[in-house]
Amino acid sequence: MMEVRRDVSSLRDDQAQLEFLRNHDAVTGLLNSSAFLSKVNSLRDDRDHGVPCVGVARIRLLSLDRVVEGFPASALEQLLKVFAERLQAWSILGGVFGFQGNSDFLAALPVANQGSDVDAARHLVASVVRDPIEIHGQDVFIQAMVGISTRSRRRIDAETMLQEATTGLLRDLDRRPRNAPMPSALATSGFRRIDIEARLRAAVRRETLGI
């Protein structure tokens, strides 16, 4: 009987693991695009039951190949994981997050009636890229752009909202100056000053700066 119980328990664990993998990205642990859209649709269906309207955003990390240049191959995966963890910290406020693939993250942000989808999304992105990410003992800075489907009373589905957000993102990317500075590994001299400044600020916050 004990052996049967162990077998049943193991089977349930395997099924739970398979269900998780079916709905989540293997690297970031965030919802995959299909599960994300399904979740957002359910949130919008519930908005008449006390759930605020949901705005959808697509967040693209810029030039990650240059950011991790010179680092081991695992650096990109590590960076994506850290970024996903920072997004997940917003889940406590009702945010839902997903990973589209490559360098695109998805976000659904419940916004109070007096709030602004645009302001909420910009604040989210600014908060998660403000501090450097440590990669193999070095701090690197990333940049991101965001496309937003603003909150609407229209009965549109999550797929349409995501398409609107994607259109906005691509439009802004197209308008971005071609020679705009991009982040890279701190081995690039242009980012040494940023690294030093960030470390000084961190030391001051920790009160560990010695003269």
Side-chain angles (χ1 to χ4, degrees), residues 23-176:
N23 292 311
H24 294 78
D25 173 68
V27 173
T28 64
L30 298 178
L31 293 171
N32 58 37
S33 58
S34 178
F36 172 84
L37 293 171
S38 177
K39 179 66 174 179
V40 174
N41 277 326
S42 69
L43 286 176
R44 290 182 64 79
D45 289 341
D46 289 341
R47 65 182 177 176
D48 294 330
H49 299 85
V51 178
C53 294
V54 174
V56 171
R58 178 188 288 273
I59 304 165
R60 177 165 297 177
L61 306 186
L62 303 180
S63 294
L64 291 188
D65 55 338
R66 293 173 59 183
V67 173
V68 299
E69 184 179 358
F71 287 108
S74 60
L76 178 58
E77 183 173 307
Q78 183 180 347
L79 188 151
L80 293 174
K81 286 180 178 179
V82 173
F83 192 84
E85 290 170 0
R86 291 184 178 183
L87 285 178
Q88 285 283 50
W90 282 67
S91 297
I92 192 172
L93 300 179
V96 177
F97 303 99
F99 185 62
Q100 180 78 44
N102 295 322
S103 61
D104 281 15
F105 290 80
L106 310 175
L109 305 172
V111 182
N113 290 334
Q114 70 274 18
S116 162
D117 290 13
V118 175
D119 290 342
R122 286 175 177 168
H123 182 56
L124 166 67
V125 174
S127 71
V128 295
V129 303
R130 178 183 57 220
D131 295 326
I133 294 178
E134 183 177 319
I135 303 292
H136 294 280
Q138 290 189 344
D139 289 343
V140 299
F141 291 83
I142 56 175
Q143 291 181 344
M145 295 191 71
V146 58
I148 306 160
S149 176
T150 55
R151 183 181 42 173
S152 172
R153 297 188 177 208
R154 293 173 295 158
R155 295 296 295 180
I156 57 177
D157 56 26
E159 290 79 6
T160 302
M161 296 181 71
L162 180 58
Q163 183 57 53
E164 290 179 354
T166 301
T167 300
L169 172 64
L170 295 177
R171 182 178 60 247
D172 289 345
L173 283 170
D174 193 51
R175 292 173 179 173
R176 194 173 191 271

